[in-house]
Amino acid sequence: MKTKMIFLAFCMTIMFCMSACAVTTKNTSSDLDAVTEISTSENVETESSEENVMSEGTVMYQLAEKDESVDDEAIGDSTMIMKIGDTKVNVEWEDNQAVEALRDMAKDGDITIQMSMYGGFEQVGSIGQSLPRDDKQTTTSSGDIVLYSGNQMVVFYGSNSWSYTRLGHISDKDEAEMADLLSNGDVTITISRE
């Protein structure tokens, strides 16, 4: 859901920029009424919102501005960056207490985790403190990031079934790329706030 909202806000911002270059619009009371009507309606479907946005340059700007502020509140300073060695990876973080605690740890500076290869399908390392657990029986896949025993981060380049708390998933690497990053010896993972 957050990804869709971010994408929608991004698209509306781009459309605004393109329309701003082509046409100068003037705020009118009917434009402001349209914004109020759109923002207060709970059942406005995406297609009709996009039609309203495309037909009214000012409405499009104000809607994009509203959506960006909502996204900033939802994500804001909560974005974390993860590197495996020197390679930045895109992580889709879970929305749970363990990730929130990890995010809080990163407020004080980078989190550096010395990982060790284990079992031929994962790298494991101590986080340095215990995080809130919500362990569930899970079958992992390449790119999954989980919490084990409350204080160990595990990053998979293979698969395993065990009781873990999910932390996130590396979304920009396929199985072969994950194996290249993780199967050739111990690595260091760095997590920082953006």
Side-chain angles (χ1 to χ4, degrees):
M1 180 70 181
K2 288 180 184 177
T3 305
K4 288 181 183 178
M5 300 250 332
I6 292 169
F7 180 73
L8 181 59
F10 175 75
C11 289
M12 287 191 282
T13 302
I14 295 298
M15 288 189 299
F16 168 71
C17 291
M18 292 184 340
S19 69
C21 294
V23 179
T24 302
T25 58
K26 180 178 177 183
N27 285 342
T28 65
S29 62
S30 65
D31 290 339
L32 295 175
D33 291 342
V35 170
T36 303
E37 182 179 327
I38 289 171
S39 65
T40 58
S41 174
E42 293 179 2
N43 297 321
V44 175
E45 294 187 16
T46 303
E47 285 183 18
S48 62
S49 294
E50 288 175 355
E51 289 170 9
N52 287 336
V53 166
M54 288 181 193
S55 64
E56 298 287 339
T58 303
V59 173
M60 177 174 52
Y61 169 73
Q62 291 172 342
L63 262 176
E65 185 176 77
K66 177 182 177 272
D67 284 347
E68 286 173 351
S69 67
V70 168
D71 287 340
D72 287 346
E73 289 172 17
I75 296 172
D77 64 343
S78 65
T79 303
M80 290 189 296
I81 297 170
M82 181 169 157
K83 286 184 177 180
I84 300 174
D86 292 327
T87 304
K88 181 180 172 185
V89 293
N90 292 334
V91 177
E92 294 175 5
W93 295 102
E94 293 289 322
D95 183 13
N96 61 31
Q97 290 181 343
V99 173
E100 195 61 39
L102 195 62
R103 191 174 291 122
D104 287 343
M105 283 177 63
K107 283 181 184 177
D108 297 329
D110 292 355
I111 302 168
T112 302
I113 305 169
Q114 299 302 318
M115 306 293 280
S116 298
M117 292 181 61
Y118 182 80
F121 52 84
E122 67 186 22
Q123 291 262 357
V124 182
S126 174
I127 296 171
Q129 71 181 51
S130 291
L131 303 180
R133 295 167 65 172
D134 184 23
D135 293 345
K136 291 184 174 60
Q137 186 64 31
T138 304
T139 300
T140 61
S141 61
S142 179
D144 282 346
I145 306 166
V146 299
L147 179 66
Y148 172 70
S149 293
N151 63 357
Q152 304 283 315
M153 178 178 282
V154 184
V155 181
F156 289 90
Y157 57 95
S159 180
N160 191 34
S161 290
W162 201 259
S163 187
Y164 301 114
T165 299
R166 287 195 171 273
L167 297 176
H169 181 80
I170 297 170
S171 59
D172 64 338
K173 304 290 182 212
D174 63 23
E175 192 170 345
E177 291 170 314
M178 288 302 301
D180 284 344
L181 281 173
L182 298 173
S183 67
N184 298 311
D186 297 349
V187 297
T188 299
I189 286 182
T190 307
I191 298 172
S192 58
R193 298 274 298 249
E194 187 170 67

